[in-house]
Each structure stands twice: as structure tokens, then as C-alpha cells.
Amino acid sequence: MHGYDAMLKAEETWLDSSYDAETWPMPAATAVADIAARMGVAVDSRTVLDAAFPMQYPVDSEGDMTMREALGRIAVANAGNWIITDDGKLLLVGLNSMPKETNYLVTETGSAITFGGVRILV
């Protein structure tokens, strides 16, 4: 599935009647694998989740949460943010986990943006 299609799918409510027999809280890794499968993507093997922060029953004051909202809570608990990689996989990018070279300003295709021939750090 294309990354854009997966993002659209993430706006759907996560829970349905098939979750009635689930035990909550659910391990974050189980929740992420389930959501990724429903979005039509795989979880990137580089994703690391802290087992100390399981997914609570995913409802809020508005009712059942979307898959995007559930992933957002998992990301916050793990100090990160989700992306869909170029390979179409769901990856949790942790705070301060990006290699140093990614601090350079680049175009959307990854080409360096320079000023007077010098790469720009951000």
C-alpha cells in the first residue's frame, strides 16, 4: 500500500467488534503490529517500543480513537514520531535517534541544500 493510502486508512476507528475478547492493556508492540496490518503496511524492524508503556483501551472523550490517535499515544510514550519509510513500512523515529548527518537541511528527495556551497545545518 502506498504511504498516502496508509495515512488515509489510519484515520479510521481502530476498534471494532473483533476486539471484544482482547485483554487490555495491550502490549504496545502488539497494538502497533495490529494497526500496521489494518493500515496495509509492515512495521519497520528498526522500531523499538518500551514495554513499560502498554496501550490502554483506546477511547477518549470523543469515543473510539482512530488508528492515528492510538499510534500518536504510543509515539508520545516512546518519545518519538511515526513515519512511513520509502519502503512503505511504519517506523517509530525516536527523539535524538536520527544520525548526525540528518541535521543538514535537505530537499524532499534528500539532496543537500547549500548556501554558497556550504551545507546548511538546522
Side-chain angles (χ1 to χ4, degrees):
M1 181 175 284
H2 220 278
Y4 180 75
D5 295 332
M7 291 185 330
L8 288 176
K9 189 85 170 150
E11 292 302 322
E12 294 178 8
T13 300
W14 180 24
L15 294 183
D16 60 26
S17 61
S18 68
Y19 294 93
D20 290 347
E22 288 293 332
T23 303
W24 300 93
M26 177 185 284
T30 302
V32 169
D34 181 68
I35 291 170
R38 291 206 40 212
M39 289 172 51
V41 297
V43 178
D44 191 291
S45 62
R46 298 173 290 175
T47 296
V48 177
L49 298 166
D50 189 335
F53 300 104
M55 183 68 198
Q56 301 301 320
Y57 191 74
V59 295
D60 56 16
S61 60
E62 305 297 316
D64 292 346
M65 292 191 304
T66 65
M67 291 181 274
R68 178 188 51 80
E69 291 168 327
L71 287 173
R73 288 193 178 191
I74 293 168
V76 167
N78 287 273
N81 200 2
W82 295 102
I83 64 167
I84 299 288
T85 66
D86 290 340
D87 293 333
K89 294 183 179 181
L90 187 64
L91 172 64
L92 180 69
V93 179
L95 182 65
N96 298 324
S97 70
M98 297 299 288
K100 193 169 193 150
E101 63 271 12
T102 60
N103 292 328
Y104 287 108
L105 191 59
V106 296
T107 67
E108 60 192 26
T109 59
S111 301
I113 297 175
T114 62
F115 183 74
V118 177
R119 291 186 76 177
I120 301 169
L121 279 171
V122 292

